[in-house]
Amino acid sequence: MSTSTAPATAPAVGTPVPPLFDNCPIEAIMTMIIELMDRLTTHNDNIPLSHANLTRFHSRAVPGISVSDYVRRIVKYASIEKAVVLLVLVYIDRICDLHNTFTISSLTSHRFLISALTAGSKAVSDIYCTNTHFAKVGGITLQELNLLEVEFCTMMHWRLACNHSLLQQYYVNLVRTSPSFYLDEQGGVPAVV
């Protein structure tokens, strides 16, 4: 028996995506983030609500639109860039680090997303929509979006910007945790979802 033979590795499962997020189709990034959001909400919906952990992001009832449809709607009609979509992950980590009772759940995910995508667009995009447009796309009033955005920025300590290398790191980790995608280390053709 040869000790120099490396053990066989299992073939990758899912759809390949390029190693760099810049080359990845936004649809694939959205799908992976939606998968992650679904896992988070499934887990966090089991955490009992108390008055102490209620935030402005909590809805009274679960919205009638899925997270998947909501993200896709905002990205499509507000022309969100893929860096902004990835930035949502950075924001989830930052806000949860700063506020350990905050959770992404069925009651918070939609309002968190519209706030994060609105603020993130302003933080990293050269061109972005007005709050009036974001509110219309997000299905909330302008006044409510303005309040959510201020609350979001305050909770984030106004740390909204992010460098490219950190976004790349989040992308790689996102792909590695995705049940539907894997990194194409060969650098092949980008996935079409």
Side-chain angles (χ1 to χ4, degrees):
M1 179 186 225
S2 172
T3 57
S4 64
T5 306
T9 56
V13 177
T15 304
V17 291
L20 300 175
F21 84 85
D22 298 306
N23 300 331
C24 185
I26 194 165
E27 182 63 35
I29 293 172
M30 280 191 305
T31 299
M32 289 184 278
I33 289 177
I34 290 162
E35 290 172 347
L36 178 67
M37 296 284 292
D38 286 344
R39 291 192 304 270
L40 281 173
T41 57
T42 298
H43 178 268
N44 291 337
D45 282 350
N46 294 318
I47 299 171
L49 276 179
S50 71
H51 185 69
N53 61 4
L54 288 177
T55 66
R56 179 169 293 285
F57 299 102
H58 281 82
S59 299
R60 292 183 182 159
V62 177
I65 184 173
S66 70
V67 168
S68 176
D69 290 344
Y70 196 62
V71 168
R72 284 180 167 79
R73 175 183 170 80
I74 297 168
V75 168
K76 179 179 179 180
Y77 293 111
S79 302
I80 302 292
E81 298 172 12
K82 63 180 89 173
V84 177
V85 176
L86 271 174
L87 198 52
V88 168
L89 300 178
V90 176
Y91 290 167
I92 290 171
D93 278 353
R94 284 183 184 172
I95 208 162
C96 289
D97 284 346
L98 293 167
H99 306 277
N100 60 2
T101 60
F102 182 81
T103 58
I104 298 293
S105 69
S106 295
L107 295 176
T108 60
S109 57
H110 293 73
R111 293 161 67 88
F112 178 86
L113 283 165
I114 191 64
S115 304
L117 292 169
T118 301
S121 289
K122 295 174 183 179
V124 301
S125 298
D126 291 332
I127 300 170
Y128 52 85
C129 297
T130 64
N131 276 22
T132 301
H133 185 76
F134 272 113
K136 189 174 191 175
V137 170
I140 58 177
T141 66
L142 174 60
Q143 180 183 7
E144 185 61 24
L145 178 58
N146 289 342
L147 291 170
L148 284 168
E149 186 181 18
V150 168
E151 180 74 9
F152 178 81
C153 292
T154 302
M155 288 179 75
M156 292 285 296
H157 296 185
W158 297 86
R159 288 184 50 229
L160 302 174
C162 177
N163 65 40
H164 188 272
S165 63
L166 184 61
L167 286 177
Q168 177 61 34
Q169 182 182 349
Y170 269 83
Y171 168 72
V172 169
N173 290 334
L174 178 65
V175 176
R176 287 190 176 143
T177 62
S178 172
S180 304
F181 296 89
Y182 68 92
L183 286 175
D184 180 7
E185 300 298 341
Q186 310 307 315
V189 179
V192 177
V193 182

